[in-house]
Amino acid sequence: MKNSIFFLTTNKFCRSFPLFFCLLIFFSTSFRTAEAHSLSASYTILNLLKSKTTMNFALDEVSVMELTGGDVNKNGMLDPDEFEAIKKKIESTIQSNIILKINGEKQSWTKVNRLELNRKGDRTQLILEVDYPAIQPSQSISLADHLYENDTNTSTTYVDLLKVNYGNESSTAALSDQGRMWSMILSDSAYEGLSNNPNTIQPAKQQQQAVIKKESNSDSTTNTSSKGWVTFLKLGMNHILTGYDHLLFLLSLLIARQSFKQFAKVITAFTVAHSLTLTLTVLGIISIPSYIVEPAIALSICYVAIENIFRKNIGHRWVLTFIFGLIHGMGFADLLTAMHLSKSELAADLVSFNLGIEVVQLSIVLLLLPLLTQLHRSKYSRNAIISTSTIAFILGGIWLFERVIS
């Protein structure tokens, strides 16, 4: 009788496995799509030259598809034919939403130097390089980004990570929320430091600081130093909230039965470790390629999940957490390293960004701890740990596979 039940159960599982596998793949794909859609980050570099103004604009592939509807065959990417079909729409969409003004007058592109997809798996980006007319001494220049501003059909959080190079100086800003605008007035002495050629570097000069202003609908004279840190605080909060691999790792760490002292050690170890490598990576002291960091993050989820399933005593988990936290910190740094923050603003931006991550992380921990305490008092505690860890292992394994082959 027992053998009959075993074979019947096994037979049902074998028949249902393909369906289970398909549902798993569908779930993971949906999870990945949600991850890509939750935070859209563009990277804009303005180069102010005496001969012209250039703009390099990069936007992730999923955002391009959202803004243009270019993914006709719904395979989650832009095929070459699909990209060619929407090139004109991409140009018009960016040109009508990224507004550059000099002395209050809207400027048009004088030349399109590059428009292509730089394909790198799930990190594929649209790359656009264009020229504008040159700025003159004592003139103002502003950049407004209206992408996603009136789009109510998506829950995407959008941020434009802007860097402006003028001579030996540079300015950075994270443009987010409504009324995204940056502006500055170029002084006569700053203009003298500008290059005529984008490939040449001027020798260092004593230059009068240009007046930098970050404008909004409510206050058009707000200085960046007073509100710039807020944008990077929000950027850090959004970055961890949309980093589902980081959140799943955190859940996997906390789900196992632990004392309050063990919880405190684990959270402290993770915080110290990722703050350390986040800082060192942004400062350029260490540089580990993303094709190593991203799979390692997925692997950390799998390892912790396996440990949860097969080990009941995890008294020294804080040591493992510190090691994996070093890897996650490099993952947190990807947005800021792409901005190449200027030294004058680096400290404030880095601290604000890291603080945003910590605020969200601490909030999640404070929310989970009472729930986990109640769970661990239940007779279903072990089953819940194993079930949650199994799901984490499967998702981590899928991400690991995707990141290794991409």
Side-chain angles (χ1 to χ4, degrees):
M1 181 66 179
K2 289 182 179 179
N3 288 338
S4 298
I5 293 173
F6 172 77
F7 285 117
L8 180 61
T9 304
T10 304
N11 190 39
K12 286 183 177 179
F13 176 78
C14 289
R15 289 202 308 265
S16 62
F17 179 76
L19 176 60
F20 170 77
F21 185 77
C22 290
L23 289 173
L24 180 60
I25 295 298
F26 174 77
F27 177 74
S28 67
T29 303
S30 301
F31 199 90
R32 181 182 175 189
T33 301
E35 177 184 4
H37 282 239
S38 299
L39 176 62
S40 173
S42 63
Y43 300 89
T44 305
I45 299 177
L46 282 182
N47 296 301
L48 308 188
L49 309 167
K50 288 182 178 179
S51 56
K52 60 184 177 181
T53 300
T54 69
M55 181 181 76
N56 301 336
F57 181 81
L59 182 65
D60 66 275
E61 183 181 25
V62 175
S63 297
V64 175
M65 292 187 292
E66 281 184 337
L67 294 168
T68 63
D71 185 20
V72 178
N73 59 12
K74 306 299 180 184
N75 66 343
M77 61 183 288
L78 288 171
D79 298 327
D81 291 342
E82 291 175 332
F83 181 65
E84 287 298 323
I86 62 169
K87 267 190 172 182
K88 292 297 182 183
K89 188 173 183 179
I90 293 172
E91 285 192 20
S92 62
T93 299
I94 296 176
Q95 195 163 26
S96 59
N97 285 281
I98 308 296
I99 308 299
L100 181 80
K101 293 183 179 180
I102 296 179
N103 255 14
E105 295 184 5
K106 181 180 176 181
Q107 304 297 311
S108 299
W109 301 344
T110 56
K111 184 181 180 182
V112 177
N113 298 306
R114 183 184 178 195
L115 178 61
E116 62 185 40
L117 278 179
N118 183 19
R119 186 157 296 286
K120 293 182 179 179
D122 60 356
R123 291 179 175 270
T124 297
Q125 289 182 321
L126 170 77
I127 306 295
L128 172 70
E129 297 179 2
V130 298
D131 292 344
Y132 288 97
I135 187 172
Q136 299 302 315
S138 299
Q139 287 189 332
S140 65
I141 183 170
S142 67
L143 183 81
D145 188 333
H146 302 294
L147 287 173
Y148 283 105
E149 202 166 70
N150 299 313
D151 192 346
T152 58
N153 297 321
T154 177
S155 58
T156 297
T157 300
Y158 175 75
V159 58
D160 187 343
L161 303 173
L162 172 68
K163 183 176 184 181
V164 183
N165 299 314
Y166 51 104
N168 259 2
E169 304 295 326
S170 65
S171 174
T172 54
L175 309 182
S176 60
D177 301 325
Q178 295 295 313
R180 299 182 295 265
M181 182 176 286
W182 167 93
S183 71
M184 70 179 254
I185 299 173
L186 192 69
S187 66
D188 291 347
S189 56
Y191 177 82
E192 289 303 316
L194 299 188
S195 171
N196 284 304
N197 190 321
N199 297 319
T200 61
I201 301 176
Q202 293 289 92
K205 293 182 179 181
Q206 294 295 326
Q207 297 178 345
Q208 177 184 346
Q209 279 282 14
V211 180
I212 308 295
K213 296 185 295 180
K214 175 123 180 262
E215 298 186 344
S216 65
N217 290 338
S218 58
D219 184 0
S220 62
T221 61
T222 303
N223 194 287
T224 11
S225 61
S226 63
K227 281 192 176 181
W229 69 271
V230 177
T231 63
F232 281 89
L233 177 73
K234 292 179 180 178
L235 185 61
M237 295 174 70
N238 285 329
H239 194 41
I240 188 170
L241 283 172
T242 55
Y244 298 110
D245 47 0
H246 300 295
L247 295 178
L248 188 59
F249 177 74
L250 185 61
L251 175 61
S252 300
L253 288 175
L254 298 178
I255 191 68
R257 185 187 292 272
Q258 300 166 76
S259 66
F260 181 80
K261 185 177 181 180
Q262 287 174 317
F263 276 128
K265 285 183 176 180
V266 165
I267 297 305
T268 302
F270 187 53
T271 299
V272 171
H274 76 64
S275 297
L276 177 63
T277 48
L278 167 63
T279 302
L280 293 177
T281 302
V282 173
L283 292 176
I285 297 175
I286 60 174
S287 178
I288 308 298
S290 62
Y291 64 79
I292 296 177
V293 173
E294 294 302 321
I297 290 174
L299 183 62
S300 71
I301 298 171
C302 295
Y303 188 94
V304 173
I306 288 294
E307 191 178 58
N308 288 343
I309 295 171
F310 293 103
R311 289 188 60 188
K312 293 184 179 180
N313 183 10
I314 53 168
H316 299 287
R317 167 158 284 188
W318 70 269
V319 178
L320 179 71
T321 302
F322 183 86
I323 295 171
F324 283 138
L326 295 174
I327 299 171
H328 281 253
M330 300 176 200
F332 286 140
D334 57 358
L335 276 178
L336 295 188
T337 52
M339 287 186 70
H340 303 288
L341 296 167
S342 61
K343 292 182 179 179
S344 61
E345 301 172 356
L346 180 59
D349 294 345
L350 181 57
V351 170
S352 299
F353 182 80
N354 195 40
L355 184 60
I357 292 175
E358 301 308 330
V359 166
V360 172
Q361 180 179 289
L362 183 58
S363 300
I364 292 172
V365 171
L366 293 177
L367 179 65
L368 282 180
L369 283 184
L371 299 176
L372 292 174
T373 301
Q374 291 299 317
L375 172 66
H376 293 152
R377 291 173 181 171
S378 166
K379 64 180 181 180
Y380 303 108
S381 173
R382 187 60 187 163
N383 290 336
I385 293 171
I386 293 175
S387 300
T388 303
S389 299
T390 300
I391 294 172
F393 176 79
I394 293 170
L395 287 174
I398 292 171
W399 285 330
L400 177 61
F401 177 76
E402 289 178 338
R403 293 171 184 183
V404 167
I405 66 172
S406 63

